[in-house]
Amino acid sequence: MPSLISSNASPNRTQEVSHNGDVSPLSVPLTGIGGKAKISKVTVSGPAKVKKGKKATYSVKITNSGNATATGVRLKVSGRGVAFNTSVGKISAGKSRTVKVKLKPKKPGKIKATFKVTSKNAGGKSVKKTITVKK
């Protein structure tokens, strides 16, 4: 196979490139160039009714439907009498991650809890869930 760069090349001269006509095109995977992460789906499952002052566990499934890793993912839950905030970390391309959230409502009544997911490079998504808190 012939040399692609001549041996008399120096940093200040023009480089000569030659080939024998049998060079195949360079193949680069698409996920490495121009990939985009996207938080496309957030689902929340857990009890609709809880007692005041008692812990209730909710599962929050976060899906990245993009072709790049979602970074800096955070989950924040807010509502009357409930608060939760945590780092989820990274979610690989085309994957989901489930986060367990333990809420301990402080006031009785109906709560409209907002489960908000944000990311540094994948946008965000929010889901609202109504929770009835009994005395």
Side-chain angles (χ1 to χ4, degrees):
M1 178 172 192
S3 170
L4 293 178
I5 300 176
S6 66
S7 61
N8 63 353
S10 74
N12 297 328
R13 285 206 215 153
T14 304
Q15 306 280 324
E16 289 183 33
V17 179
S18 63
H19 63 82
N20 63 3
D22 165 57
V23 177
S24 61
L26 180 63
S27 131
V28 178
L30 290 176
T31 56
I33 298 177
K36 185 171 171 104
K38 182 180 181 189
I39 301 297
S40 61
K41 190 174 184 183
V42 175
T43 55
V44 178
S45 59
K49 295 179 181 178
V50 297
K51 284 196 166 202
K52 178 183 121 182
K54 299 290 182 180
K55 286 184 182 177
T57 303
Y58 294 87
S59 292
V60 181
K61 185 176 178 182
I62 305 164
T63 303
N64 172 12
S65 65
N67 62 355
T69 299
T71 60
V73 180
R74 293 198 65 80
L75 170 62
K76 183 178 181 181
V77 181
S78 59
R80 187 179 59 83
V82 294
F84 181 86
N85 191 356
T86 190
S87 172
V88 177
K90 296 178 181 180
I91 301 176
S92 298
K95 301 287 182 180
S96 296
R97 177 167 293 165
T98 301
V99 179
K100 297 288 184 185
V101 176
K102 292 187 181 199
L103 298 179
K104 188 176 178 181
K106 297 176 184 175
K107 297 179 180 182
K110 290 202 183 259
I111 297 173
K112 290 195 179 188
T114 302
F115 293 76
K116 184 177 182 180
V117 176
T118 58
S119 170
K120 288 182 179 178
N121 68 335
K125 199 123 181 124
S126 292
V127 172
K128 292 187 188 261
K129 181 168 181 74
T130 300
I131 304 167
T132 302
V133 181
K134 296 180 178 184
K135 291 183 183 184

